[in-house]
Amino acid sequence: MAANFSSVPLLDFSLISSDATKPEFISQLRHALINVGFLYLKNHTVDKQVVDDLIAYIPKLFELPQDAKNKIFMANSPHFLGYSKLGAEFTKGKTDYREQFDFATPHETQWRPGAPEYLRLWGPPQWPDDALLPGFRNTMEKYLAQVQALSYQFISLLAEAFGLPADALNKFYDTDELMQHRGKVVKYPANDGTLTDQGVGPHYDAGFLTFLLQASPHRGLQVQNLSGQWIDAPPIPGTFVVNIGKALEFVTRGLARATSHRVLSPPVGSTARYSVPFFQNISLNARLADEVLDFPEDILKLKELRGEAASTDSVNFSEFDREPSGRVNLIGRVKSHPDVAERHYPELFRQYFPSGLPTQASVY
């Protein structure tokens, strides 16, 4: 367990701006990717004013009248975009105590009758009435566009860290007009003494990369190390928390670590925790089992030195060896949001929920 970790490393993105310091960044990135699967990123390229503007909007978003939220219920959308009430999402069959809005970069759905069902997964977001929250949509779209640009730049650096050409992973993305990346704004209310502490249960993310903005000073995010211990990842102002998704772990043959993580609810007597995760997707049609990346031997040896992780508490997104990416993601969304699945994907709903809608989803 020499490669085990007890904290999440902090990387300085400004190091890539100089030929003299870029190798240091690449070396640190390689360590974080292989041994941790999580990192903090400071001095990134997303404009601070955009971030500050978004953070200022977040409490106001959740203070919207309930009927305004209900107009954009996620259950209205086959794309799993929109508003979810407290307790409407599930992880490992247990209720996640969070309220959230799922948004995404602009996209017109590519699904047509007869096409694969998973193409319905991407489509236009639902937005709150701009008259009730003037400027929010523009700020959120600006934020998503800037994080998207950062994520593409970061994936090229990741390829270099693995001894590959900078464009080696580009084949897993479609052209811009065919891609969609997802962002959500999440509120974890303080525990009132009647709830479990599951803000969101142990899980992996699906795609290549996640960029998380911890938008309030609350602790709660935890990552699971090689020996199965839970390690705190507290907020650090001015940073993103970046983590590896299951798709990237699969295409790198486990070289990059998708690390199990969870969020604990704020304790009794605290205030709400806010966060904004951005999920970088890959092509819905990508079949990861058909793609083989040729890594240098010295890079592959680093995986051997790391060793294997103990059994983790996360089990999701295990189908990449046999299904296209879109199908894997759709299955994950169906399991997390059975109310949406019941309305828009009835066959999958019956497959995964043969006894009908889970009790908690019926309540909320």
Side-chain angles (χ1 to χ4, degrees), residues 62-94:
F62 288 99
E63 290 165 2
L64 288 173
Q66 190 61 46
D67 63 342
K69 299 176 184 178
N70 294 348
K71 287 180 181 177
I72 58 170
F73 258 142
M74 183 184 284
N76 299 334
S77 168
H79 319 304
F80 294 86
L81 296 172
Y83 171 69
S84 297
K85 282 187 175 182
L86 179 68
E89 187 173 11
F90 291 76
T91 301
K92 292 186 69 179
K94 296 182 179 180

Side-chain angles (χ1 to χ4, degrees), residues 237-249:
T239 69
F240 286 118
V241 178
V242 184
N243 69 278
I244 303 304
K246 265 300 191 184
L248 188 60
E249 180 182 79

Side-chain angles (χ1 to χ4, degrees), residues 223-257:
V223 303
Q224 201 166 18
N225 70 11
L226 283 169
S227 58
Q229 298 171 311
W230 287 103
I231 307 299
D232 286 328
I236 298 177
T239 69
F240 286 118
V241 178
V242 184
N243 69 278
I244 303 304
K246 265 300 191 184
L248 188 60
E249 180 182 79
F250 188 89
V251 300
T252 61
R253 291 177 276 166
L255 193 58
R257 284 198 71 219

Side-chain angles (χ1 to χ4, degrees), residues 86 97-99 187-192 195 265-267 271-273:
L86 179 68
Y97 288 99
R98 58 180 182 175
E99 182 183 8
K187 176 183 179 180
Y188 297 93
N191 196 321
D192 62 3
L195 307 176
S265 298
T271 54
R273 176 183 185 270

Side-chain angles (χ1 to χ4, degrees), residues 51-163:
V51 172
D52 290 346
D53 289 348
L54 178 59
I55 289 174
Y57 270 117
I58 292 175
K60 300 174 188 176
L61 177 65
F62 288 99
E63 290 165 2
L64 288 173
Q66 190 61 46
D67 63 342
K69 299 176 184 178
N70 294 348
K71 287 180 181 177
I72 58 170
F73 258 142
M74 183 184 284
N76 299 334
S77 168
H79 319 304
F80 294 86
L81 296 172
Y83 171 69
S84 297
K85 282 187 175 182
L86 179 68
E89 187 173 11
F90 291 76
T91 301
K92 292 186 69 179
K94 296 182 179 180
T95 303
D96 294 327
Y97 288 99
R98 58 180 182 175
E99 182 183 8
Q100 61 193 8
F101 293 83
D102 281 68
F103 301 114
T105 55
H107 183 80
E108 293 300 324
T109 185
Q110 301 301 303
W111 182 82
R112 300 292 182 271
E117 187 176 39
Y118 59 74
L119 291 180
R120 296 178 71 200
L121 194 57
W122 293 352
Q126 300 186 89
W127 293 98
D129 186 345
D130 198 61
L132 296 176
L133 201 59
F136 169 74
R137 176 177 177 175
N138 179 64
T139 298
M140 187 69 188
E141 287 186 325
K142 193 180 300 183
Y143 175 82
L144 292 174
Q146 290 193 20
V147 182
Q148 172 183 296
L150 172 61
S151 75
Y152 282 135
Q153 184 180 11
F154 197 86
I155 209 71
S156 68
L157 295 166
L158 184 150
E160 291 185 56
F162 285 149

Side-chain angles (χ1 to χ4, degrees), residues 206 246-247 250 288-289 317-323 325 328-329:
K246 265 300 191 184
F250 188 89
L288 304 187
F317 302 119
S318 60
E319 303 92 354
F320 280 116
D321 61 340
R322 57 192 181 276
E323 299 281 5
S325 170
V328 178
N329 277 270

